[in-house]
Amino acid sequence: MYRAYKYRLYPTADQQVSLAKSFGCARWFWNYALHLCQQTYQSTGKGLSRGYLQGLLPALKREYEWLKEPYSQCLQVVALNLSTAYKNFFEKRAMLPRFKSKHGRQSISYPQNVKFDGDYLHLPKIGAVHCCVHRPFEGTIKMVTVSRNSDGKYFASVLVDDGQEKVESLPSDKAVGIDVGLNHFAITSEGSKFANPRHFAKHQRNLKRKQQRLSRKRKGSRNRQKARLAVARVYGKVARCRGDFLHKLSRKVVNENQVIVVENLNVKGMVRNHNLAKAISDAGWGMFCTMLKYKAEWEGKVYLEIDRFFPSSKTCHVCLNRVGSLPLEVRAWTCEGCGTHHDRDINAAINIRNEGLRILSLGTSDTAWGGNVRQPGKTSVLLDAVPVESGSPRSNL
């Protein structure tokens, strides 16, 4: 089973320069290969294979001497990633590949000749980079991706094959249905409600001040660069707080249940509502469902998504009577069939759980909306990687 471990890196000034050159070369080759693929497709109607793109590198290195500075295998991985991106696009799992910018997050991958030595990570042509190995890992290193965030922090994502087989599904003796919302982030079929922390709203005032200072700085100046980093740090703080909350809640749900059932939400369509777009994006429903899924797979438990059009809120879970209309402002209602008074969210969570158990009783875990996102026939093991968060001590890094 492939697992990914993420560590913080602390490169020296010279190592940061070398990494910046490697980022730039990998980004240039990606843009060059993508442009060539687009031109070839427009003229011939056919694409370019990964082998053809990799075969361009020797001639390009003779023409552009600076392409020899990064580790050669890093540029080979760029061609692999581009071919994988096109494969995902044509199989309707992702959008069309786009050109990379020198602004924002930068990354480069090392497929081999990488090793750990205590608190140092040895990278080809970079040297020993100080690494905060806050938890050990077991297995064979398959790929190491070094990245730099917008706020200037460096990280190493280590893809490891631990040699373990996928855990078989355990008996489903305890099931829970989860309904997500904005007033409460998650409501379970057992009646538990978890408050929505609204991380972005808590930092919005600080972010506004930082963005105002940024707008006053002269473009291209040193002070503008400092102000831009200040804005990026606020966004990074929001992302870390959101991820911490989602990891803890998803771990709690997986540990306490054998079957987890949620709705397949169309978050991309929901954010088109300009009145709720910011609140929906801040909640992180999609990230929460992703965490539930891979953590349940680790433990051999069942994760199931039911159809998004299932009327969970408008159906009485006692007598299955369905009301014709139930506006969002109505948070509680009484069933005309059996007279049961329902909390809208708890009733929806119970119906989600019951629908998931009904699907499992039919002998299949496939959902009505099309199954898994990642299909067989992948060209890269990177698509199988899932982050590992269990056992990480609290850190202020």
Side-chain angles (χ1 to χ4, degrees), residues 1 44 136 335:
M1 181 182 295
T44 64
C335 177

Side-chain angles (χ1 to χ4, degrees), residues 156-170:
S157 179
V158 185
L159 179 65
V160 178
D161 184 5
D162 56 10
Q164 300 179 3
E165 298 294 333
K166 186 176 181 180
V167 182
E168 297 182 359
S169 299
L170 301 175

Side-chain angles (χ1 to χ4, degrees), residues 58 87 102 112 166 168 176 192 214 217 359 393:
K87 181 180 178 64
K102 65 178 181 179
Q112 58 185 9
K166 186 176 181 180
E168 297 182 359
V176 64
S192 301
L214 175 62
K217 306 302 180 183
I359 295 175

Side-chain angles (χ1 to χ4, degrees), residues 30-47:
W30 170 281
N31 293 337
Y32 177 86
L34 179 58
H35 178 66
L36 185 61
C37 289
Q38 292 178 350
Q39 284 186 329
T40 304
Y41 185 80
Q42 291 175 358
S43 59
T44 64
K46 298 181 180 180

Side-chain angles (χ1 to χ4, degrees), residues 283-349:
W285 294 336
M287 187 185 301
F288 178 63
C289 292
T290 300
M291 293 178 180
L292 287 176
K293 182 177 181 180
Y294 73 73
K295 291 176 184 178
E297 291 178 352
W298 288 352
E299 306 293 336
K301 300 180 179 180
V302 179
Y303 170 84
L304 185 63
E305 293 184 0
I306 67 172
D307 189 75
R308 66 187 63 167
F309 298 107
F310 176 72
S312 58
S313 298
K314 298 189 293 183
T315 303
C316 173
H317 72 273
V318 178
C319 65
L320 302 183
N321 178 50
R322 185 185 303 177
V323 297
S325 177
L326 195 65
L328 284 175
E329 59 269 14
V330 179
R331 309 313 302 174
W333 58 282
T334 302
C335 177
E336 298 179 356
C338 61
T340 305
H341 187 71
H342 294 295
D343 180 284
R344 177 194 182 109
D345 299 325
I346 296 178
N347 176 68

Side-chain angles (χ1 to χ4, degrees), residues 112-330:
Q112 58 185 9
N113 296 331
V114 179
K115 64 178 181 178
F116 282 85
D117 183 12
D119 291 334
Y120 288 89
L121 173 63
H122 290 266
L123 299 174
K125 289 195 173 184
I126 301 296
V129 183
H130 181 63
C131 178
C132 181
V133 185
H134 56 279
R135 62 180 180 274
F137 63 86
E138 296 181 358
T140 305
I141 298 177
K142 293 295 183 179
M143 185 86 69
V144 174
T145 300
V146 178
S147 61
R148 178 176 61 83
N149 291 347
S150 299
D151 55 0
K153 295 180 180 179
Y154 291 81
F155 295 92
S157 179
V158 185
L159 179 65
V160 178
D161 184 5
D162 56 10
Q164 300 179 3
E165 298 294 333
K166 186 176 181 180
V167 182
E168 297 182 359
S169 299
L170 301 175
S172 54
D173 55 349
K174 187 176 181 182
V176 64
I178 302 177
D179 181 45
V180 295
L182 294 178
N183 292 331
H184 292 89
F185 176 80
I187 303 92
T188 67
S189 55
E190 299 173 347
S192 301
K193 293 186 177 182
F194 299 93
N196 186 1
R198 303 179 186 275
H199 299 289
F200 186 82
K202 292 180 180 179
H203 296 83
Q204 192 168 8
R205 185 178 179 183
N206 183 27
L207 180 62
K208 179 181 178 180
R209 291 197 299 265
K210 298 292 193 301
Q211 289 176 329
Q212 287 176 339
R213 294 174 185 173
L214 175 62
S215 65
R216 299 189 187 105
K217 306 302 180 183
R218 181 172 56 84
K219 290 186 178 181
S221 64
R222 186 81 174 183
N223 287 333
R224 184 178 179 86
Q225 178 66 12
K226 294 179 181 179
R228 188 198 63 80
L229 286 176
V231 173
R233 291 191 187 101
V234 178
Y235 278 112
K237 175 69 173 179
V238 174
R240 291 193 300 272
C241 291
R242 183 186 296 114
D244 180 72
F245 168 75
L246 297 179
H247 273 300
K248 291 178 179 177
L249 180 57
S250 59
R251 174 53 58 189
K252 175 180 174 63
V253 172
V254 172
N255 287 346
E256 296 177 354
N257 301 278
Q258 298 293 335
V259 178
I260 300 102
V261 188
V262 298
E263 280 185 311
N264 169 38
L265 298 175
N266 182 18
V267 180
K268 184 177 180 179
M270 297 171 70
V271 296
R272 295 174 182 172
N273 183 345
H274 299 294
N275 295 325
L276 299 175
K278 184 184 294 185
I280 293 174
S281 301
D282 186 22
W285 294 336
M287 187 185 301
F288 178 63
C289 292
T290 300
M291 293 178 180
L292 287 176
K293 182 177 181 180
Y294 73 73
K295 291 176 184 178
E297 291 178 352
W298 288 352
E299 306 293 336
K301 300 180 179 180
V302 179
Y303 170 84
L304 185 63
E305 293 184 0
I306 67 172
D307 189 75
R308 66 187 63 167
F309 298 107
F310 176 72
S312 58
S313 298
K314 298 189 293 183
T315 303
C316 173
H317 72 273
V318 178
C319 65
L320 302 183
N321 178 50
R322 185 185 303 177
V323 297
S325 177
L326 195 65
L328 284 175
E329 59 269 14
V330 179

